[in-house]
């Protein structure tokens, strides 16, 4: 960080009170509240497929507004975990291998035949893969994070929770904005939107963005920056209301990401004959002190994503009921290259054929993913004794994958052996290159019928009952070709297979809700979760991997209290939960010819329990604190070790914590409009603090695969005109320059680590914005 930036950070830190979570701020604000910018207001959510006040919904929900995301420089799903205490994010080697967890539960797998446990829904459309939502957030109105199984209304991919993203609607008057931002490290962002009426009963908006970042690490082999990106995208939305009871919404979007990361950097290498003689010396000048974030690769990491889609929603109000249809098609393309040996000089010595063999390994792959979804539902008018939402849902996806691994080894040399190692050199040695190529196609088809009703026994007492029936089918064909008849480093021999599996299941919920007062609501619910069957379809699969992975089922219990106190200036929501998952679908580490790979399996039984709290306090009309805290105990009850695992497998894992499930996490955010009385201008301060306890990353419980507890403190200042037409914002991220990783990956006798691209170091930025 520059000296000037650091001085500004210190100045900001001394003028701001510390804060606690990125938590709910108002999703909608009435005109009367415009002069009280941070006052506590009602938050409207669509968590139950209809607009409701957050305080009336018997579900634990965190809500983050688009304005708050922009102030905090939170631009994508992989940063959202800093704003929602019960959410964690696992970044894979590429976007396609990313995963989200809620309350410690999520699906981590490289298989194309399994679905996530946390569903991402954008404007009513389910995204079938976590990697589809890799682009920057675009014109977000709010994000609702529903915690725990949501089997009745969302169903698909929602056995652990839902991230429901709602974009802004075009207004009734022509308007928009343009903003541009610069951050240290050559990060640039430009965004703009324009919208308004196109004619009688028709509104439209067009929004676009471009962002670029050089990266925060370096490849010492060629001095290239890594862990950077270039992203751009556009979204158009048209809303037509030809009559008072008919609304038609059309949305189209396209985005393209080019990322030169995330790179696997080597943080720790343990002592062994091969490591001491070959691996460690070859990594110079890297400093292997556990904090290293640079790499020494002869192949730069690279990932490219293209995401596009169209959707159409029709809402027809028939007076007593509203009919809704949502039809959507999405396409995702992903391409990735990776250096699998993590060195630039391999092979340097004759390969001994052991797990510590000296080989050069390069990976390349791509996927083409298409999905079509159709939802039809009917919702009753409110209020009445029996209020309901019911519908039908169809979902079909097709993924076409190609993956190549090329491995080169020095198999003979005429040079003399020194210290038990025979060096290799061009002209004196024989090099052998083998490769494996796999083509595989995976299809998932699902049908379901669902409904949820609320019985208003009295004005204060109601019952909730929901049910969903789902039919699932997974089919695949797979063919791997290999230049070797036997396994070589990280590649199994040739194999071909095809097949399909089917299953069905029930999910649902039942609960009671009671209004203790107009401002205090208590509820208790039981939810049955269901996640469909899966297949372990991945590059290194063998006959043992063709068996079905049974559906994941859960029983979840929750009690909660939603309160508005002190003349509704304090909103305080508390929830206690317990959930048990049977046939939990999880990855287990395996070794193929000396290289670590993973296998998807029914891992057995896991459970999660804890307490959560969200709050929003308007201390004055111009000063607010908001935040949240959670205690989560997510652990493995009984692990079912896959065939071939060590006999000590279960004993080493049973009773241990689930990966990516910190026991304690909290956030707090402060917003303060300073009483400076500067004619024509306002000055707002904001600050946030995020704390996360020690986090384990490995279901095998490797004692080195964890991140110690850490806290991140951000601060910002915004100067704007009274009419909010012009504004200039300054932000300092990670004031204390706290380093942390989002994953440590066991790799034999070394440990890889992955750095969050931006927020694992202190940096300063400025944003200028014009609203019109």
């Amino acid at each position: 960080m520059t000296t000037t930036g650091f001085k500004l950070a210190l100045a900001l830190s001394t003028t701001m009170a510390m804060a606690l979570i990125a938590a709910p701020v108002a999703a909608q604000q009435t005109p009367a509240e415009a002069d009280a910018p941070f006052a506590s207001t009602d938050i409207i959510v669509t968590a139950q497929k209809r607009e409701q006040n957050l305080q009336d919904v018997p579900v634990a929900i965190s809500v983050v507004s688009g304005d708050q995301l922009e102030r905090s420089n939170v631009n994508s799903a992989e940063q959202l975990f800093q704003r929602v205490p019960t959410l964690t994010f696992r970044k894979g080697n590429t976007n396609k291998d990313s995963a989200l967890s809620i309350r410690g539960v999520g699906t981590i797998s490289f298989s194309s035949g399994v679905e996530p446990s946390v569903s991402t829904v954008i404007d009513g459309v389910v995204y079938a893969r976590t990697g589809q939502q890799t682009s920057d957030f675009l014109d977000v109105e709010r994000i609702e994070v529903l915690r725990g199984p949501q089997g009745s209304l969302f169903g698909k991919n929602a056995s652990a929770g839902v991230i429901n993203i709602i974009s802004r609607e075009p207004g009734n008057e022509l308007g928009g904005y343009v903003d541009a931002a610069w951050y240290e490290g050559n990060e640039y962002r430009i965004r703009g939107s324009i919208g308004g009426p196109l004619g009688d009963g028709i509104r439209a908006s067009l929004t676009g963005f471009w962002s670029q970042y050089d990266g925060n690490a370096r490849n010492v082999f060629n001095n290239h920056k890594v862990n950077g990106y270039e992203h751009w995208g556009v979204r158009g939305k048209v809303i037509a209301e030809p009559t008072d009871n008919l609304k038609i919404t059309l949305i189209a979007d396209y985005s393209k990401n080019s990322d030169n990361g995330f790179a696997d950097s080597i943080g720790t290498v343990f002592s062994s004959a091969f490591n001491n003689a070959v691996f460690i010396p070859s990594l110079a000048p890297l400093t292997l002190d556990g904090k290293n974030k640079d790499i020494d690769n002869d192949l730069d990491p690279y990932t490219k994503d293209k995401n596009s889609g169209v959707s159409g929603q029709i809402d027809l109000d028939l007076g007593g009921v509203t009919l809704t249809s949502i039809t959507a098609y999405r396409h995702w393309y992903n391409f990735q290259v990776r250096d699998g040996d993590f060195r630039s000089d391999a092979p340097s010595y004759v390969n001994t054929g052991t797990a510590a063999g000296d080989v050069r390994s390069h990976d390349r792959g791509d996927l083409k993913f298409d999905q079509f979804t159709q939802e039809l539902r009917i919702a009753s008018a409110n209020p009445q004794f029996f209020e309901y939402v019911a519908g039908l849902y169809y979902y079909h996806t097709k993924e076409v994958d190609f993956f190549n691994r090329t491995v080169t080894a020095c198999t003979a040399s005429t040079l003399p052996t020194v210290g038990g190692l025979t060096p290799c050199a061009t002209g004196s040695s024989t090099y052998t290159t083998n490769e494996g190529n796999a083509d595989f196609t995976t299809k998932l088809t699902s049908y379901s019928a669902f409904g949820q009703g609320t019985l208003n026994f009295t004005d204060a007492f109601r019952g909730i009952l929901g049910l969903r029936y789902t039919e699932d089918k997974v089919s695949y064909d797979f063919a791997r070709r290999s230049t070797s008849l036997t396994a070589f480093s990280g590649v199994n021999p040739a194999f071909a297979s095809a097949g399909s599996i089917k299953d069905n299941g029930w999910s649902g919920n039942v609960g009671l809700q009671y209004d203790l007062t107009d401002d205090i609501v208590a509820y208790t619910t039981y939810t049955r979760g269901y996640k469909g069957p899966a297949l372990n379809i991945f590059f290194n699969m063998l006959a043992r991997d063709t068996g079905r992975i049974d559906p994941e089922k859960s029983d979840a219990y929750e009690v909660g209290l939603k309160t508005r106190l002190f003349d509704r200036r304090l909103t305080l929501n508390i929830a206690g939960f317990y959930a048990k998952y049977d046939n939990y679908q999880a990855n287990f580490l395996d070794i193929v010819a000396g290289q670590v790979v993973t296998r998807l399996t029914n891992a057995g039984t896991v459970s999660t329990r804890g307490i959560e709290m969200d709050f929003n306090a308007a201390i004055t009309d111009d000063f607010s604190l908001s935040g949240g805290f959670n205690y989560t105990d997510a652990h493995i009850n009984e692990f079912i070790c896959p065939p071939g695992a060590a006999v000590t497998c279960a004993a080493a894992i049973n009773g241990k914590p689930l990966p990516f499930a910190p026991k304690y996490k909290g956030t707090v955010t402060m917003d303060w409009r300073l009483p400076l009385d500067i004619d024509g201008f306002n000055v707002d301060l904001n600050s946030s603090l995020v704390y996360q306890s020690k986090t384990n990353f490995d279901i095998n419980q490797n004692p080195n695969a964890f991140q110690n507890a850490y806290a991140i403190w951000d601060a910002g200042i915004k100067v704007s005109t009274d009419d909010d037409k012009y504004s200039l914002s300054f932000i300092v991220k990670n004031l204390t320059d706290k380093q942390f990783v989002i994953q440590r990956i066991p790799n034999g006798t070394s440990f890889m680590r992955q750095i969050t691209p931006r927020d694992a170091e202190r940096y300063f930025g400025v944003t200028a914005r014009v609203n019109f």
Side-chain angles (χ1 to χ4, degrees):
M1 186 179 189
T2 64
T3 302
T4 301
F6 183 66
K7 288 180 178 178
L8 180 56
L10 289 177
L12 287 171
S13 66
T14 58
T15 57
M16 293 182 188
M18 289 216 324
L20 303 169
I21 179 173
V25 299
Q28 295 184 0
Q29 193 175 42
T30 65
E33 293 155 347
D35 294 330
F38 306 126
S40 179
T41 57
D42 288 339
I43 299 171
I44 305 302
V45 297
T46 53
Q48 298 194 113
K49 305 284 188 177
R50 65 173 74 207
E51 289 191 352
Q52 293 175 285
N53 190 307
L54 172 66
Q55 297 304 103
D56 296 331
V57 181
V59 178
I61 306 172
S62 297
V63 180
V64 185
S65 77
D67 290 340
Q68 193 171 40
L69 296 173
E70 292 170 4
R71 286 201 305 271
S72 305
N73 194 32
V74 173
N75 300 293
S76 64
E78 65 191 55
Q79 294 176 294
L80 188 60
F81 77 95
Q82 300 176 21
R83 297 290 152 224
V84 180
T86 54
L87 181 69
T88 54
F89 183 84
R90 184 262 193 193
K91 182 69 177 180
N93 296 122
T94 74
N95 291 324
K96 78 180 185 71
D97 302 320
S98 301
L100 290 160
S101 298
I102 292 178
R103 293 176 173 173
V105 177
T107 300
I108 301 170
S109 178
F110 299 109
S111 171
S112 63
V114 65
E115 300 176 284
S117 297
V118 177
S119 180
T120 301
V121 181
I122 301 181
D123 290 327
V125 178
V126 174
Y127 281 45
R129 292 287 187 271
T130 303
Q132 289 177 276
Q133 180 43 44
T134 55
S135 189
D136 292 20
F137 290 142
L138 187 58
D139 221 20
V140 171
E141 173 71 29
R142 67 184 182 277
I143 298 178
E144 306 167 4
V145 180
L146 287 67
R147 311 191 291 263
Q150 307 295 323
S152 293
L153 294 179
F154 286 92
K156 206 62 189 164
N157 313 332
S159 57
V162 173
I163 298 175
N164 189 29
I165 302 175
I166 297 93
S167 65
R168 295 187 177 106
E169 290 197 352
N172 292 314
E173 296 182 0
L174 181 64
Y177 69 89
V178 175
D179 67 29
W182 169 87
Y183 300 91
E184 283 186 292
N186 287 332
E187 181 182 13
Y188 302 93
R189 295 184 175 275
I190 300 174
R191 292 179 296 195
S193 179
I194 185 169
L198 292 182
D200 188 23
I202 301 178
R203 297 172 285 143
S205 63
L206 181 65
T207 306
F209 76 92
W210 173 84
S211 59
Q212 180 269 327
Y213 172 50
D214 285 352
N216 66 348
R218 190 172 298 278
N219 186 352
V220 299
F221 171 70
N222 52 23
N223 206 34
H224 290 172
K225 282 289 191 76
V226 293
N227 283 343
Y229 57 80
E230 183 178 18
H231 299 169
W232 68 270
V234 293
R235 172 186 287 138
K237 179 182 283 191
V238 178
I239 298 177
E241 297 177 280
T243 65
D244 291 341
N245 62 346
L246 177 62
K247 180 180 180 181
I248 301 171
T249 304
L250 303 176
I251 302 174
D253 66 89
Y254 177 86
S255 64
K256 181 179 179 180
N257 294 359
S258 296
D259 296 65
N260 62 354
F262 289 117
D264 282 340
S265 59
I266 299 175
T268 304
V269 180
F270 300 109
S271 176
S272 72
F274 177 81
N275 287 349
N276 295 340
V278 179
F279 196 39
I280 295 175
S282 74
L283 292 173
L286 298 181
T287 303
L288 308 180
D289 59 358
K291 296 181 180 180
N292 168 59
K293 60 182 179 181
D294 294 330
I295 63 173
D296 180 20
N297 292 359
D298 58 315
L299 180 66
D300 280 336
Y302 178 70
T303 300
K304 179 169 65 177
D305 289 277
K306 296 179 183 179
N307 267 292
S308 59
V310 293
S311 67
Q313 178 170 334
I314 301 173
D315 296 290
L316 179 61
D317 185 355
L318 299 179
V321 299
T322 299
L323 302 179
T324 298
S325 169
I326 303 177
T327 307
Y329 165 78
R330 298 208 59 81
H331 176 74
W332 173 36
Y333 172 77
N334 172 272
F335 170 81
Q336 66 276 340
V337 294
R338 175 176 176 262
D339 190 324
D341 60 84
F342 316 112
R343 294 165 49 205
S344 62
D345 63 348
S348 300
Y349 292 84
V350 172
N351 183 26
T352 63
T354 67
D358 188 25
V359 300
R360 181 175 68 220
S361 179
H362 289 172
D363 295 341
R364 176 175 63 90
D366 62 45
L367 70 82
K368 299 177 183 68
F369 185 86
D370 295 276
Q371 74 168 69
F372 175 80
T373 57
Q374 174 64 59
E375 182 172 356
L376 296 170
R377 66 175 185 260
I378 183 172
S380 64
N382 296 337
Q384 59 185 30
F385 172 72
F386 181 57
E387 301 167 358
Y388 61 86
V389 176
L392 301 172
Y393 185 76
Y394 171 75
Y395 161 103
H396 178 77
T397 69
K398 179 181 179 181
E399 180 174 332
V400 179
D401 289 84
F402 168 79
F403 189 86
N404 165 271
R405 176 165 290 165
T406 302
V407 178
T408 299
C410 177
T411 54
S413 176
T414 60
L415 298 176
T417 299
V418 179
L421 295 171
T422 305
C424 297
T426 303
S428 304
S429 307
T430 302
Y431 294 88
T432 301
T433 298
N434 282 301
E435 64 176 336
N437 293 281
D439 292 283
F440 43 107
T441 299
T442 312
K443 298 179 182 179
L444 287 82
T445 304
S446 178
Y447 306 84
S448 60
F450 63 90
Q452 179 171 300
T454 300
L455 297 166
N456 294 291
F457 300 122
T458 70
D459 290 342
F461 181 54
R462 60 197 65 91
I464 304 101
L465 179 64
L467 198 62
R468 190 182 193 105
Y469 175 76
T470 304
E471 291 267 3
D472 287 309
K473 179 181 179 181
V474 186
S475 61
Y476 77 100
D477 61 76
F478 178 93
R480 181 177 58 251
R481 304 167 302 285
S482 175
T483 56
S484 173
L485 296 177
T486 60
F488 56 95
S489 183
V491 183
N492 279 318
F495 176 73
S497 180
S500 65
I501 57 172
K502 292 182 179 180
D503 217 314
N504 59 74
W506 292 90
S507 54
N509 60 301
V510 61
L512 295 173
Q513 183 178 0
Y514 184 69
D515 301 344
L516 300 173
T517 70
D518 288 343
D519 293 323
I520 301 177
V521 178
Y523 69 90
T524 179
T525 59
Y526 161 76
T527 304
R528 175 68 170 175
Y530 168 84
K531 180 185 168 195
L535 287 167
N536 192 17
I537 307 161
F538 69 118
F539 169 67
N540 262 310
M541 73 180 297
L542 292 171
R544 69 183 182 186
D545 300 305
T546 59
R548 61 182 280 125
I549 309 294
D550 287 328
E552 180 181 288
K553 300 178 180 179
S554 60
D555 294 289
Y557 305 86
E558 182 172 308
V559 294
L561 199 64
K562 297 196 170 187
T563 70
R564 289 176 287 194
L565 308 172
F566 305 110
D567 198 26
R568 297 195 172 186
R569 284 191 169 271
L570 172 64
T571 299
L572 177 64
N573 298 335
I574 301 173
F577 63 90
Y578 170 81
K580 180 180 178 183
Y581 291 77
D582 293 317
N583 286 328
Y584 184 61
Q585 298 171 355
N587 265 349
F588 184 82
L589 294 184
D590 202 359
I591 302 292
V592 174
Q595 190 164 118
V596 176
V597 298
T598 60
R599 277 196 279 160
L600 182 69
T601 182
N602 280 127
T605 302
V606 304
S607 62
T608 178
R609 71 213 71 200
I611 299 175
E612 303 163 337
M613 178 187 70
D614 296 293
F615 70 91
N616 188 355
I619 309 300
T620 71
D621 286 348
D622 295 317
F623 182 86
S624 73
L625 289 175
S626 59
F629 170 81
N630 75 276
Y631 163 79
T632 303
D633 176 16
H635 62 260
I636 302 156
N637 294 18
E638 184 178 0
F639 192 81
I640 301 174
C641 299
V647 294
T648 58
C649 162
I653 295 177
N654 286 349
K656 298 302 194 317
L658 281 169
F660 300 92
K663 185 162 287 189
Y664 300 99
K665 192 174 176 186
T667 62
V668 120
T669 293
M670 176 206 72
D671 291 289
W672 184 20
R673 174 154 292 178
L674 295 179
L676 299 180
D677 196 24
I678 302 175
D679 188 36
F681 290 92
N682 295 308
V683 179
D684 300 331
L685 299 181
N686 64 81
S687 183
S688 66
L689 181 69
V690 181
Y691 170 80
Q692 179 171 301
S693 64
K694 180 178 177 180
T695 305
N696 163 55
F697 298 128
D698 180 22
I699 199 171
N700 297 67
Q701 307 300 313
N702 192 303
N704 296 286
F706 67 90
Q707 166 64 52
N708 280 323
Y710 65 92
I712 303 297
W713 181 18
D714 302 336
I717 182 170
K718 176 183 175 182
V719 180
S720 60
T721 56
D722 277 342
D723 59 4
D724 204 33
K725 184 175 181 179
Y726 303 101
S727 64
L728 190 64
S729 301
F730 302 89
I731 187 172
V732 181
K733 300 283 288 185
N734 196 348
L735 272 160
T736 60
D737 200 24
K738 178 65 178 178
Q739 292 192 5
F740 62 93
V741 297
I742 55 174
Q743 187 168 200
R744 294 184 191 271
I745 310 162
N747 190 53
T749 57
S750 65
F751 265 84
M752 318 308 297
R753 64 202 302 268
Q754 290 179 344
I755 304 285
T756 300
R758 287 305 269 145
D759 297 339
E761 61 186 357
R762 180 174 51 234
Y763 66 95
F764 165 79
V766 57
T767 300
R769 180 173 177 126
V770 178
N771 296 315
F772 57 86

